[in-house]
Amino acid sequence: MADDILNRFKEDQTGQKEIDTSKKLRVGIIGTGWIAEAHIINYMKMPDVEIVAGADLIPGKAEAFFKRFGLQDVKCFESHTDMLNSVELDAVSVCTYNATHAECTIDALNKGVNVLLEKPMCVTLEEAVEIIRAEKKSGKVLSIGFQPRFDPNMKKIKEIVESGVLGQVYYIQTGGGRRRGIPTPYGTSFIEKDKGAIGAVGDIGCYSLDMVLNAIGYPKPLTVTGYTSDFFGKRPDYYKNHPEYAEVFGVDDFAAAFVRLEGGIILDFRIAWAMNIDTPGDTIILGTKGGLRIPSTECWNGTVGGAMKIYHEVAGSQVETEIPIIESDIDLFEAKIRSFLDAIKEGTPAPVPSSQILYNQAIIDGIVKSAKAGREIEINIPEI
Ligand SMILES: NC(=O)c1ccc[n+]([C@@H]2O[C@H](COP(=O)([O-])OP(=O)(O)OC[C@H]3O[C@@H](n4cnc5c(N)ncnc54)[C@H](O)[C@@H]3O)[C@@H](O)[C@H]2O)c1
């Protein structure tokens, strides 16, 4: 009896539920590069999933990928449309480089397939709008791959804001950076214009934006003054073993922006793949009753870098409350994939909905467009 009660407490704490395996979801993977590994590893852990198909533009890449994971019977294609036309699927992970996120996602939704789309959502606001139109038409689940959302420390930021302890939020400073962290360990797909399409602003900027926008309820962005630069990526001596990468570098490696959000909130943003400083600063959220400091991680990965602090006033005294780091053994990628599958099976909303990430993408798009125009621009999001 006591054991029974203890088990129930445990179930409450871990949130783990039993998985119904009576029907297996037929899953495909589009783009079998670096991040697809994190997807397949976690799909393979799921007792209610059968991985049945995969596609990669590079001949033989999909076959080699599934073979590496001991899956011999997966049907492989060089075109995602051939895969969607030939194989009955319940869900796909879109793990392609940014430039093809939109077409692969729209094609899958149009075929009535649920989609887990890697971050950033896409490249432009216009693409994001088209993706959401396809999602609405299909009635399928579309979730965007922001795994830091499942980190209890990230959830804590939202809980702190929602508790009211900060009062009315009016100013946010966010962003992060790496001293030297242009992502080229597996080649140049992040830095080529026709593949990565956007650089640090999309790749890691989308995480900083999500950290704070999710916490404050994703208010609509109104205007943006953006700046982008590429001083590091274009330097042949930046890449110790591959000076030729400088030739193909066609995106940003630094971005900064001043964004006005609905509700009179100001968002001051900066992000860097490379810079001559340790960090461009912690994330801070200023409110009328309190301020929150979220330490930056050393090598920016979109999460919380240390104990957070709330600065507030108690009985006339200026005090600080420390929110210790929550240690957790949650596998963020596993949680991202499990929550996507659960939403499909239970008919519940997408764990990371496109309606929120639309605003994230609108800011990224606004930064790029404003930087090009050299002035502040209005963000106009069409009716969807
Ligand atoms: N969530 C995370 O933590 C995380 C981490 C790394 C990368 N990512 C994201 O994942 C995406 C992929 O990154 P990566 O490092 O795996 O890149 P990658 O270059 O290693 O792999 C992408 C693959 O997609 C294939 N591809 C592109 N268009 C295709 C199409 N239309 N059909 C079939 N295959 C296509 C390419 O040939 C390539 O093999 C990026 O958008 C990136 O931002 C997310």
Side-chain angles (χ1 to χ4, degrees), residues 35 39 118-119 144-151 154 207 210 301 303 331-337 352:
I35 205 57
H39 286 249
E118 262 307 337
K119 48 56 61 177
I144 320 297
F146 283 86
Q147 71 277 356
R149 284 269 188 118
F150 301 94
D151 178 339
M154 298 289 266
Y207 283 134
D210 193 58
N301 63 1
T303 50
D331 178 325
L332 301 183
F333 251 92
E334 187 178 326
K336 151 164 138 176
I337 281 172
V352 183

mmCIF file with all atom_site columns, all heavy atoms in Angstrom, residues 35 39 118-119 144-151 154 207 210 301 303 331-337 352:
data_model
loop_
_atom_site.group_PDB
_atom_site.id
_atom_site.type_symbol
_atom_site.label_atom_id
_atom_site.label_alt_id
_atom_site.label_comp_id
_atom_site.label_asym_id
_atom_site.label_entity_id
_atom_site.label_seq_id
_atom_site.pdbx_PDB_ins_code
_atom_site.Cartn_x
_atom_site.Cartn_y
_atom_site.Cartn_z
_atom_site.occupancy
_atom_site.B_iso_or_equiv
_atom_site.pdbx_formal_charge
_atom_site.auth_seq_id
_atom_site.auth_comp_id
_atom_site.auth_asym_id
_atom_site.auth_atom_id
_atom_site.pdbx_PDB_model_num
ATOM 1   N N   . ILE A 1 35  ? 21.577 16.849 -37.151 1.00 0.00 ? 35  ILE A N   1
ATOM 2   C CA  . ILE A 1 35  ? 20.531 16.869 -36.115 1.00 0.00 ? 35  ILE A CA  1
ATOM 3   C C   . ILE A 1 35  ? 19.566 15.703 -36.263 1.00 0.00 ? 35  ILE A C   1
ATOM 4   O O   . ILE A 1 35  ? 18.904 15.302 -35.288 1.00 0.00 ? 35  ILE A O   1
ATOM 5   C CB  . ILE A 1 35  ? 19.784 18.223 -36.084 1.00 0.00 ? 35  ILE A CB  1
ATOM 6   C CG1 . ILE A 1 35  ? 19.201 18.453 -34.689 1.00 0.00 ? 35  ILE A CG1 1
ATOM 7   C CG2 . ILE A 1 35  ? 18.704 18.316 -37.129 1.00 0.00 ? 35  ILE A CG2 1
ATOM 8   C CD1 . ILE A 1 35  ? 20.217 18.430 -33.583 1.00 0.00 ? 35  ILE A CD1 1
ATOM 9   N N   . HIS A 1 39  ? 17.093 13.023 -33.625 1.00 0.00 ? 39  HIS A N   1
ATOM 10  C CA  . HIS A 1 39  ? 15.695 12.614 -33.859 1.00 0.00 ? 39  HIS A CA  1
ATOM 11  C C   . HIS A 1 39  ? 15.586 11.093 -33.897 1.00 0.00 ? 39  HIS A C   1
ATOM 12  O O   . HIS A 1 39  ? 14.757 10.506 -33.217 1.00 0.00 ? 39  HIS A O   1
ATOM 13  C CB  . HIS A 1 39  ? 15.175 13.230 -35.162 1.00 0.00 ? 39  HIS A CB  1
ATOM 14  C CG  . HIS A 1 39  ? 14.892 14.689 -35.040 1.00 0.00 ? 39  HIS A CG  1
ATOM 15  N ND1 . HIS A 1 39  ? 13.627 15.209 -35.082 1.00 0.00 ? 39  HIS A ND1 1
ATOM 16  C CD2 . HIS A 1 39  ? 15.716 15.751 -34.831 1.00 0.00 ? 39  HIS A CD2 1
ATOM 17  C CE1 . HIS A 1 39  ? 13.686 16.515 -34.928 1.00 0.00 ? 39  HIS A CE1 1
ATOM 18  N NE2 . HIS A 1 39  ? 14.954 16.875 -34.783 1.00 0.00 ? 39  HIS A NE2 1
ATOM 19  N N   . GLU A 1 118 ? 12.425 21.361 -37.347 1.00 0.00 ? 118 GLU A N   1
ATOM 20  C CA  . GLU A 1 118 ? 13.574 21.885 -36.592 1.00 0.00 ? 118 GLU A CA  1
ATOM 21  C C   . GLU A 1 118 ? 13.574 23.417 -36.574 1.00 0.00 ? 118 GLU A C   1
ATOM 22  O O   . GLU A 1 118 ? 13.014 24.062 -37.449 1.00 0.00 ? 118 GLU A O   1
ATOM 23  C CB  . GLU A 1 118 ? 14.889 21.350 -37.199 1.00 0.00 ? 118 GLU A CB  1
ATOM 24  C CG  . GLU A 1 118 ? 15.449 20.157 -36.458 1.00 0.00 ? 118 GLU A CG  1
ATOM 25  C CD  . GLU A 1 118 ? 15.628 20.383 -34.939 1.00 0.00 ? 118 GLU A CD  1
ATOM 26  O OE1 . GLU A 1 118 ? 15.748 21.540 -34.502 1.00 0.00 ? 118 GLU A OE1 1
ATOM 27  O OE2 . GLU A 1 118 ? 15.633 19.391 -34.197 1.00 0.00 ? 118 GLU A OE2 1
ATOM 28  N N   . LYS A 1 119 ? 14.227 23.955 -35.562 1.00 0.00 ? 119 LYS A N   1
ATOM 29  C CA  . LYS A 1 119 ? 14.373 25.402 -35.472 1.00 0.00 ? 119 LYS A CA  1
ATOM 30  C C   . LYS A 1 119 ? 15.502 25.881 -36.365 1.00 0.00 ? 119 LYS A C   1
ATOM 31  O O   . LYS A 1 119 ? 16.373 25.061 -36.664 1.00 0.00 ? 119 LYS A O   1
ATOM 32  C CB  . LYS A 1 119 ? 14.597 25.862 -34.032 1.00 0.00 ? 119 LYS A CB  1
ATOM 33  C CG  . LYS A 1 119 ? 15.658 25.118 -33.234 1.00 0.00 ? 119 LYS A CG  1
ATOM 34  C CD  . LYS A 1 119 ? 17.073 25.013 -33.745 1.00 0.00 ? 119 LYS A CD  1
ATOM 35  C CE  . LYS A 1 119 ? 17.835 26.268 -33.940 1.00 0.00 ? 119 LYS A CE  1
ATOM 36  N NZ  . LYS A 1 119 ? 19.252 25.993 -34.397 1.00 0.00 ? 119 LYS A NZ  1
ATOM 37  N N   . ILE A 1 144 ? 7.346  23.118 -33.477 1.00 0.00 ? 144 ILE A N   1
ATOM 38  C CA  . ILE A 1 144 ? 8.668  23.631 -33.871 1.00 0.00 ? 144 ILE A CA  1
ATOM 39  C C   . ILE A 1 144 ? 9.685  23.174 -32.815 1.00 0.00 ? 144 ILE A C   1
ATOM 40  O O   . ILE A 1 144 ? 9.417  23.220 -31.609 1.00 0.00 ? 144 ILE A O   1
ATOM 41  C CB  . ILE A 1 144 ? 8.655  25.180 -34.014 1.00 0.00 ? 144 ILE A CB  1
ATOM 42  C CG1 . ILE A 1 144 ? 7.363  25.683 -34.687 1.00 0.00 ? 144 ILE A CG1 1
ATOM 43  C CG2 . ILE A 1 144 ? 9.890  25.637 -34.783 1.00 0.00 ? 144 ILE A CG2 1
ATOM 44  C CD1 . ILE A 1 144 ? 7.117  25.237 -36.103 1.00 0.00 ? 144 ILE A CD1 1
ATOM 45  N N   . GLY A 1 145 ? 10.852 22.772 -33.302 1.00 0.00 ? 145 GLY A N   1
ATOM 46  C CA  . GLY A 1 145 ? 11.812 22.044 -32.454 1.00 0.00 ? 145 GLY A CA  1
ATOM 47  C C   . GLY A 1 145 ? 12.613 22.823 -31.446 1.00 0.00 ? 145 GLY A C   1
ATOM 48  O O   . GLY A 1 145 ? 13.839 22.782 -31.457 1.00 0.00 ? 145 GLY A O   1
ATOM 49  N N   . PHE A 1 146 ? 11.940 23.507 -30.549 1.00 0.00 ? 146 PHE A N   1
ATOM 50  C CA  . PHE A 1 146 ? 12.645 24.258 -29.498 1.00 0.00 ? 146 PHE A CA  1
ATOM 51  C C   . PHE A 1 146 ? 12.770 23.402 -28.240 1.00 0.00 ? 146 PHE A C   1
ATOM 52  O O   . PHE A 1 146 ? 12.008 23.581 -27.283 1.00 0.00 ? 146 PHE A O   1
ATOM 53  C CB  . PHE A 1 146 ? 11.882 25.543 -29.162 1.00 0.00 ? 146 PHE A CB  1
ATOM 54  C CG  . PHE A 1 146 ? 12.072 26.633 -30.182 1.00 0.00 ? 146 PHE A CG  1
ATOM 55  C CD1 . PHE A 1 146 ? 11.281 26.701 -31.306 1.00 0.00 ? 146 PHE A CD1 1
ATOM 56  C CD2 . PHE A 1 146 ? 13.058 27.591 -30.005 1.00 0.00 ? 146 PHE A CD2 1
ATOM 57  C CE1 . PHE A 1 146 ? 11.459 27.706 -32.256 1.00 0.00 ? 146 PHE A CE1 1
ATOM 58  C CE2 . PHE A 1 146 ? 13.248 28.605 -30.943 1.00 0.00 ? 146 PHE A CE2 1
ATOM 59  C CZ  . PHE A 1 146 ? 12.444 28.650 -32.064 1.00 0.00 ? 146 PHE A CZ  1
ATOM 60  N N   . GLN A 1 147 ? 13.757 22.497 -28.183 1.00 0.00 ? 147 GLN A N   1
ATOM 61  C CA  . GLN A 1 147 ? 13.843 21.617 -27.012 1.00 0.00 ? 147 GLN A CA  1
ATOM 62  C C   . GLN A 1 147 ? 14.160 22.334 -25.696 1.00 0.00 ? 147 GLN A C   1
ATOM 63  O O   . GLN A 1 147 ? 13.776 21.820 -24.644 1.00 0.00 ? 147 GLN A O   1
ATOM 64  C CB  . GLN A 1 147 ? 14.800 20.442 -27.268 1.00 0.00 ? 147 GLN A CB  1
ATOM 65  C CG  . GLN A 1 147 ? 16.272 20.770 -27.339 1.00 0.00 ? 147 GLN A CG  1
ATOM 66  C CD  . GLN A 1 147 ? 16.682 21.270 -28.711 1.00 0.00 ? 147 GLN A CD  1
ATOM 67  O OE1 . GLN A 1 147 ? 15.877 21.291 -29.621 1.00 0.00 ? 147 GLN A OE1 1
ATOM 68  N NE2 . GLN A 1 147 ? 17.930 21.702 -28.851 1.00 0.00 ? 147 GLN A NE2 1
ATOM 69  N N   . PRO A 1 148 ? 14.808 23.533 -25.685 1.00 0.00 ? 148 PRO A N   1
ATOM 70  C CA  . PRO A 1 148 ? 15.025 24.169 -24.376 1.00 0.00 ? 148 PRO A CA  1
ATOM 71  C C   . PRO A 1 148 ? 13.714 24.457 -23.621 1.00 0.00 ? 148 PRO A C   1
ATOM 72  O O   . PRO A 1 148 ? 13.724 24.609 -22.407 1.00 0.00 ? 148 PRO A O   1
ATOM 73  C CB  . PRO A 1 148 ? 15.757 25.469 -24.721 1.00 0.00 ? 148 PRO A CB  1
ATOM 74  C CG  . PRO A 1 148 ? 16.453 25.179 -26.007 1.00 0.00 ? 148 PRO A CG  1
ATOM 75  C CD  . PRO A 1 148 ? 15.500 24.270 -26.759 1.00 0.00 ? 148 PRO A CD  1
ATOM 76  N N   . ARG A 1 149 ? 12.603 24.489 -24.340 1.00 0.00 ? 149 ARG A N   1
ATOM 77  C CA  . ARG A 1 149 ? 11.305 24.690 -23.680 1.00 0.00 ? 149 ARG A CA  1
ATOM 78  C C   . ARG A 1 149 ? 11.029 23.646 -22.602 1.00 0.00 ? 149 ARG A C   1
ATOM 79  O O   . ARG A 1 149 ? 10.247 23.871 -21.689 1.00 0.00 ? 149 ARG A O   1
ATOM 80  C CB  . ARG A 1 149 ? 10.183 24.546 -24.708 1.00 0.00 ? 149 ARG A CB  1
ATOM 81  C CG  . ARG A 1 149 ? 9.995  25.713 -25.619 1.00 0.00 ? 149 ARG A CG  1
ATOM 82  C CD  . ARG A 1 149 ? 8.996  26.677 -25.034 1.00 0.00 ? 149 ARG A CD  1
ATOM 83  N NE  . ARG A 1 149 ? 8.695  27.703 -26.011 1.00 0.00 ? 149 ARG A NE  1
ATOM 84  C CZ  . ARG A 1 149 ? 7.505  27.908 -26.527 1.00 0.00 ? 149 ARG A CZ  1
ATOM 85  N NH1 . ARG A 1 149 ? 6.484  27.160 -26.168 1.00 0.00 ? 149 ARG A NH1 1
ATOM 86  N NH2 . ARG A 1 149 ? 7.305  28.874 -27.391 1.00 0.00 ? 149 ARG A NH2 1
ATOM 87  N N   . PHE A 1 150 ? 11.649 22.453 -22.743 1.00 0.00 ? 150 PHE A N   1
ATOM 88  C CA  . PHE A 1 150 ? 11.357 21.363 -21.814 1.00 0.00 ? 150 PHE A CA  1
ATOM 89  C C   . PHE A 1 150 ? 12.301 21.363 -20.615 1.00 0.00 ? 150 PHE A C   1
ATOM 90  O O   . PHE A 1 150 ? 12.176 20.535 -19.723 1.00 0.00 ? 150 PHE A O   1
ATOM 91  C CB  . PHE A 1 150 ? 11.408 20.014 -22.562 1.00 0.00 ? 150 PHE A CB  1
ATOM 92  C CG  . PHE A 1 150 ? 10.431 19.979 -23.696 1.00 0.00 ? 150 PHE A CG  1
ATOM 93  C CD1 . PHE A 1 150 ? 10.809 20.325 -24.993 1.00 0.00 ? 150 PHE A CD1 1
ATOM 94  C CD2 . PHE A 1 150 ? 9.097  19.674 -23.457 1.00 0.00 ? 150 PHE A CD2 1
ATOM 95  C CE1 . PHE A 1 150 ? 9.890  20.349 -26.031 1.00 0.00 ? 150 PHE A CE1 1
ATOM 96  C CE2 . PHE A 1 150 ? 8.164  19.691 -24.489 1.00 0.00 ? 150 PHE A CE2 1
ATOM 97  C CZ  . PHE A 1 150 ? 8.564  20.025 -25.776 1.00 0.00 ? 150 PHE A CZ  1
ATOM 98  N N   . ASP A 1 151 ? 13.231 22.320 -20.588 1.00 0.00 ? 151 ASP A N   1
ATOM 99  C CA  . ASP A 1 151 ? 14.162 22.457 -19.475 1.00 0.00 ? 151 ASP A CA  1
ATOM 100 C C   . ASP A 1 151 ? 13.401 23.115 -18.311 1.00 0.00 ? 151 ASP A C   1
ATOM 101 O O   . ASP A 1 151 ? 12.825 24.198 -18.483 1.00 0.00 ? 151 ASP A O   1
ATOM 102 C CB  . ASP A 1 151 ? 15.327 23.347 -19.947 1.00 0.00 ? 151 ASP A CB  1
ATOM 103 C CG  . ASP A 1 151 ? 16.353 23.607 -18.857 1.00 0.00 ? 151 ASP A CG  1
ATOM 104 O OD1 . ASP A 1 151 ? 16.018 23.465 -17.665 1.00 0.00 ? 151 ASP A OD1 1
ATOM 105 O OD2 . ASP A 1 151 ? 17.483 23.971 -19.210 1.00 0.00 ? 151 ASP A OD2 1
ATOM 106 N N   . MET A 1 154 ? 14.012 26.752 -17.798 1.00 0.00 ? 154 MET A N   1
ATOM 107 C CA  . MET A 1 154 ? 13.348 27.656 -18.739 1.00 0.00 ? 154 MET A CA  1
ATOM 108 C C   . MET A 1 154 ? 11.877 27.829 -18.346 1.00 0.00 ? 154 MET A C   1
ATOM 109 O O   . MET A 1 154 ? 11.323 28.917 -18.421 1.00 0.00 ? 154 MET A O   1
ATOM 110 C CB  . MET A 1 154 ? 13.437 27.107 -20.163 1.00 0.00 ? 154 MET A CB  1
ATOM 111 C CG  . MET A 1 154 ? 14.844 26.962 -20.668 1.00 0.00 ? 154 MET A CG  1
ATOM 112 S SD  . MET A 1 154 ? 15.624 28.548 -20.984 1.00 0.00 ? 154 MET A SD  1
ATOM 113 C CE  . MET A 1 154 ? 15.275 28.735 -22.709 1.00 0.00 ? 154 MET A CE  1
ATOM 114 N N   . TYR A 1 207 ? 16.581 30.993 -30.204 1.00 0.00 ? 207 TYR A N   1
ATOM 115 C CA  . TYR A 1 207 ? 16.474 30.461 -28.845 1.00 0.00 ? 207 TYR A CA  1
ATOM 116 C C   . TYR A 1 207 ? 16.351 31.596 -27.807 1.00 0.00 ? 207 TYR A C   1
ATOM 117 O O   . TYR A 1 207 ? 15.553 31.513 -26.881 1.00 0.00 ? 207 TYR A O   1
ATOM 118 C CB  . TYR A 1 207 ? 17.725 29.658 -28.480 1.00 0.00 ? 207 TYR A CB  1
ATOM 119 C CG  . TYR A 1 207 ? 17.824 28.284 -29.070 1.00 0.00 ? 207 TYR A CG  1
ATOM 120 C CD1 . TYR A 1 207 ? 19.016 27.856 -29.643 1.00 0.00 ? 207 TYR A CD1 1
ATOM 121 C CD2 . TYR A 1 207 ? 16.775 27.378 -29.022 1.00 0.00 ? 207 TYR A CD2 1
ATOM 122 C CE1 . TYR A 1 207 ? 19.155 26.581 -30.169 1.00 0.00 ? 207 TYR A CE1 1
ATOM 123 C CE2 . TYR A 1 207 ? 16.907 26.103 -29.547 1.00 0.00 ? 207 TYR A CE2 1
ATOM 124 C CZ  . TYR A 1 207 ? 18.093 25.709 -30.115 1.00 0.00 ? 207 TYR A CZ  1
ATOM 125 O OH  . TYR A 1 207 ? 18.224 24.448 -30.634 1.00 0.00 ? 207 TYR A OH  1
ATOM 126 N N   . ASP A 1 210 ? 12.990 33.019 -27.969 1.00 0.00 ? 210 ASP A N   1
ATOM 127 C CA  . ASP A 1 210 ? 11.962 32.136 -27.402 1.00 0.00 ? 210 ASP A CA  1
ATOM 128 C C   . ASP A 1 210 ? 12.027 32.137 -25.873 1.00 0.00 ? 210 ASP A C   1
ATOM 129 O O   . ASP A 1 210 ? 10.988 32.084 -25.210 1.00 0.00 ? 210 ASP A O   1
ATOM 130 C CB  . ASP A 1 210 ? 12.125 30.712 -27.934 1.00 0.00 ? 210 ASP A CB  1
ATOM 131 C CG  . ASP A 1 210 ? 10.897 29.854 -27.632 1.00 0.00 ? 210 ASP A CG  1
ATOM 132 O OD1 . ASP A 1 210 ? 9.795  30.249 -28.070 1.00 0.00 ? 210 ASP A OD1 1
ATOM 133 O OD2 . ASP A 1 210 ? 11.024 28.837 -26.933 1.00 0.00 ? 210 ASP A OD2 1
ATOM 134 N N   . ASN A 1 301 ? 23.870 28.379 -25.724 1.00 0.00 ? 301 ASN A N   1
ATOM 135 C CA  . ASN A 1 301 ? 23.095 27.268 -26.269 1.00 0.00 ? 301 ASN A CA  1
ATOM 136 C C   . ASN A 1 301 ? 21.615 27.428 -25.962 1.00 0.00 ? 301 ASN A C   1
ATOM 137 O O   . ASN A 1 301 ? 20.861 26.479 -26.017 1.00 0.00 ? 301 ASN A O   1
ATOM 138 C CB  . ASN A 1 301 ? 23.614 25.931 -25.720 1.00 0.00 ? 301 ASN A CB  1
ATOM 139 C CG  . ASN A 1 301 ? 23.455 25.837 -24.220 1.00 0.00 ? 301 ASN A CG  1
ATOM 140 O OD1 . ASN A 1 301 ? 22.942 26.762 -23.591 1.00 0.00 ? 301 ASN A OD1 1
ATOM 141 N ND2 . ASN A 1 301 ? 23.883 24.747 -23.631 1.00 0.00 ? 301 ASN A ND2 1
ATOM 142 N N   . THR A 1 303 ? 20.074 28.219 -23.115 1.00 0.00 ? 303 THR A N   1
ATOM 143 C CA  . THR A 1 303 ? 19.508 27.817 -21.821 1.00 0.00 ? 303 THR A CA  1
ATOM 144 C C   . THR A 1 303 ? 20.022 28.727 -20.700 1.00 0.00 ? 303 THR A C   1
ATOM 145 O O   . THR A 1 303 ? 20.638 29.754 -20.962 1.00 0.00 ? 303 THR A O   1
ATOM 146 C CB  . THR A 1 303 ? 19.814 26.340 -21.502 1.00 0.00 ? 303 THR A CB  1
ATOM 147 O OG1 . THR A 1 303 ? 21.198 26.113 -21.698 1.00 0.00 ? 303 THR A OG1 1
ATOM 148 C CG2 . THR A 1 303 ? 19.034 25.401 -22.393 1.00 0.00 ? 303 THR A CG2 1
ATOM 149 N N   . ASP A 1 331 ? 15.805 14.342 -20.704 1.00 0.00 ? 331 ASP A N   1
ATOM 150 C CA  . ASP A 1 331 ? 16.485 14.415 -21.996 1.00 0.00 ? 331 ASP A CA  1
ATOM 151 C C   . ASP A 1 331 ? 15.609 15.331 -22.856 1.00 0.00 ? 331 ASP A C   1
ATOM 152 O O   . ASP A 1 331 ? 14.471 14.988 -23.205 1.00 0.00 ? 331 ASP A O   1
ATOM 153 C CB  . ASP A 1 331 ? 16.585 12.996 -22.589 1.00 0.00 ? 331 ASP A CB  1
ATOM 154 C CG  . ASP A 1 331 ? 17.239 12.996 -23.968 1.00 0.00 ? 331 ASP A CG  1
ATOM 155 O OD1 . ASP A 1 331 ? 17.027 13.955 -24.734 1.00 0.00 ? 331 ASP A OD1 1
ATOM 156 O OD2 . ASP A 1 331 ? 17.940 12.025 -24.270 1.00 0.00 ? 331 ASP A OD2 1
ATOM 157 N N   . LEU A 1 332 ? 16.130 16.521 -23.148 1.00 0.00 ? 332 LEU A N   1
ATOM 158 C CA  . LEU A 1 332 ? 15.305 17.542 -23.794 1.00 0.00 ? 332 LEU A CA  1
ATOM 159 C C   . LEU A 1 332 ? 14.839 17.099 -25.184 1.00 0.00 ? 332 LEU A C   1
ATOM 160 O O   . LEU A 1 332 ? 13.709 17.392 -25.594 1.00 0.00 ? 332 LEU A O   1
ATOM 161 C CB  . LEU A 1 332 ? 16.063 18.865 -23.887 1.00 0.00 ? 332 LEU A CB  1
ATOM 162 C CG  . LEU A 1 332 ? 16.519 19.476 -22.554 1.00 0.00 ? 332 LEU A CG  1
ATOM 163 C CD1 . LEU A 1 332 ? 17.186 20.817 -22.791 1.00 0.00 ? 332 LEU A CD1 1
ATOM 164 C CD2 . LEU A 1 332 ? 15.349 19.631 -21.579 1.00 0.00 ? 332 LEU A CD2 1
ATOM 165 N N   . PHE A 1 333 ? 15.690 16.387 -25.896 1.00 0.00 ? 333 PHE A N   1
ATOM 166 C CA  . PHE A 1 333 ? 15.304 15.920 -27.230 1.00 0.00 ? 333 PHE A CA  1
ATOM 167 C C   . PHE A 1 333 ? 14.229 14.846 -27.151 1.00 0.00 ? 333 PHE A C   1
ATOM 168 O O   . PHE A 1 333 ? 13.292 14.815 -27.957 1.00 0.00 ? 333 PHE A O   1
ATOM 169 C CB  . PHE A 1 333 ? 16.528 15.413 -27.993 1.00 0.00 ? 333 PHE A CB  1
ATOM 170 C CG  . PHE A 1 333 ? 16.893 16.335 -29.102 1.00 0.00 ? 333 PHE A CG  1
ATOM 171 C CD1 . PHE A 1 333 ? 17.806 17.353 -28.903 1.00 0.00 ? 333 PHE A CD1 1
ATOM 172 C CD2 . PHE A 1 333 ? 16.276 16.220 -30.339 1.00 0.00 ? 333 PHE A CD2 1
ATOM 173 C CE1 . PHE A 1 333 ? 18.106 18.235 -29.925 1.00 0.00 ? 333 PHE A CE1 1
ATOM 174 C CE2 . PHE A 1 333 ? 16.566 17.088 -31.359 1.00 0.00 ? 333 PHE A CE2 1
ATOM 175 C CZ  . PHE A 1 333 ? 17.491 18.100 -31.155 1.00 0.00 ? 333 PHE A CZ  1
ATOM 176 N N   . GLU A 1 334 ? 14.377 13.990 -26.151 1.00 0.00 ? 334 GLU A N   1
ATOM 177 C CA  . GLU A 1 334 ? 13.365 12.942 -25.970 1.00 0.00 ? 334 GLU A CA  1
ATOM 178 C C   . GLU A 1 334 ? 12.016 13.595 -25.641 1.00 0.00 ? 334 GLU A C   1
ATOM 179 O O   . GLU A 1 334 ? 10.978 13.218 -26.187 1.00 0.00 ? 334 GLU A O   1
ATOM 180 C CB  . GLU A 1 334 ? 13.806 12.012 -24.834 1.00 0.00 ? 334 GLU A CB  1
ATOM 181 C CG  . GLU A 1 334 ? 12.922 10.803 -24.673 1.00 0.00 ? 334 GLU A CG  1
ATOM 182 C CD  . GLU A 1 334 ? 13.415 9.870  -23.565 1.00 0.00 ? 334 GLU A CD  1
ATOM 183 O OE1 . GLU A 1 334 ? 14.636 9.755  -23.360 1.00 0.00 ? 334 GLU A OE1 1
ATOM 184 O OE2 . GLU A 1 334 ? 12.542 9.273  -22.907 1.00 0.00 ? 334 GLU A OE2 1
ATOM 185 N N   . ALA A 1 335 ? 12.064 14.615 -24.795 1.00 0.00 ? 335 ALA A N   1
ATOM 186 C CA  . ALA A 1 335 ? 10.816 15.304 -24.404 1.00 0.00 ? 335 ALA A CA  1
ATOM 187 C C   . ALA A 1 335 ? 10.188 15.998 -25.608 1.00 0.00 ? 335 ALA A C   1
ATOM 188 O O   . ALA A 1 335 ? 8.962  16.010 -25.776 1.00 0.00 ? 335 ALA A O   1
ATOM 189 C CB  . ALA A 1 335 ? 11.114 16.308 -23.303 1.00 0.00 ? 335 ALA A CB  1
ATOM 190 N N   . LYS A 1 336 ? 11.044 16.552 -26.474 1.00 0.00 ? 336 LYS A N   1
ATOM 191 C CA  . LYS A 1 336 ? 10.523 17.248 -27.662 1.00 0.00 ? 336 LYS A CA  1
ATOM 192 C C   . LYS A 1 336 ? 9.801  16.259 -28.577 1.00 0.00 ? 336 LYS A C   1
ATOM 193 O O   . LYS A 1 336 ? 8.716  16.538 -29.084 1.00 0.00 ? 336 LYS A O   1
ATOM 194 C CB  . LYS A 1 336 ? 11.721 17.930 -28.342 1.00 0.00 ? 336 LYS A CB  1
ATOM 195 C CG  . LYS A 1 336 ? 11.715 18.148 -29.812 1.00 0.00 ? 336 LYS A CG  1
ATOM 196 C CD  . LYS A 1 336 ? 12.792 19.171 -30.157 1.00 0.00 ? 336 LYS A CD  1
ATOM 197 C CE  . LYS A 1 336 ? 13.597 18.845 -31.377 1.00 0.00 ? 336 LYS A CE  1
ATOM 198 N NZ  . LYS A 1 336 ? 14.556 19.877 -31.727 1.00 0.00 ? 336 LYS A NZ  1
ATOM 199 N N   . ILE A 1 337 ? 10.394 15.096 -28.756 1.00 0.00 ? 337 ILE A N   1
ATOM 200 C CA  . ILE A 1 337 ? 9.792  14.109 -29.663 1.00 0.00 ? 337 ILE A CA  1
ATOM 201 C C   . ILE A 1 337 ? 8.574  13.439 -29.033 1.00 0.00 ? 337 ILE A C   1
ATOM 202 O O   . ILE A 1 337 ? 7.534  13.278 -29.660 1.00 0.00 ? 337 ILE A O   1
ATOM 203 C CB  . ILE A 1 337 ? 10.888 13.124 -30.128 1.00 0.00 ? 337 ILE A CB  1
ATOM 204 C CG1 . ILE A 1 337 ? 11.664 13.853 -31.227 1.00 0.00 ? 337 ILE A CG1 1
ATOM 205 C CG2 . ILE A 1 337 ? 10.300 11.796 -30.629 1.00 0.00 ? 337 ILE A CG2 1
ATOM 206 C CD1 . ILE A 1 337 ? 12.874 13.226 -31.742 1.00 0.00 ? 337 ILE A CD1 1
ATOM 207 N N   . VAL A 1 352 ? 5.031  23.102 -29.125 1.00 0.00 ? 352 VAL A N   1
ATOM 208 C CA  . VAL A 1 352 ? 5.610  24.429 -29.427 1.00 0.00 ? 352 VAL A CA  1
ATOM 209 C C   . VAL A 1 352 ? 4.891  24.937 -30.677 1.00 0.00 ? 352 VAL A C   1
ATOM 210 O O   . VAL A 1 352 ? 5.260  24.622 -31.809 1.00 0.00 ? 352 VAL A O   1
ATOM 211 C CB  . VAL A 1 352 ? 7.141  24.352 -29.646 1.00 0.00 ? 352 VAL A CB  1
ATOM 212 C CG1 . VAL A 1 352 ? 7.709  25.751 -29.884 1.00 0.00 ? 352 VAL A CG1 1
ATOM 213 C CG2 . VAL A 1 352 ? 7.835  23.690 -28.453 1.00 0.00 ? 352 VAL A CG2 1
#
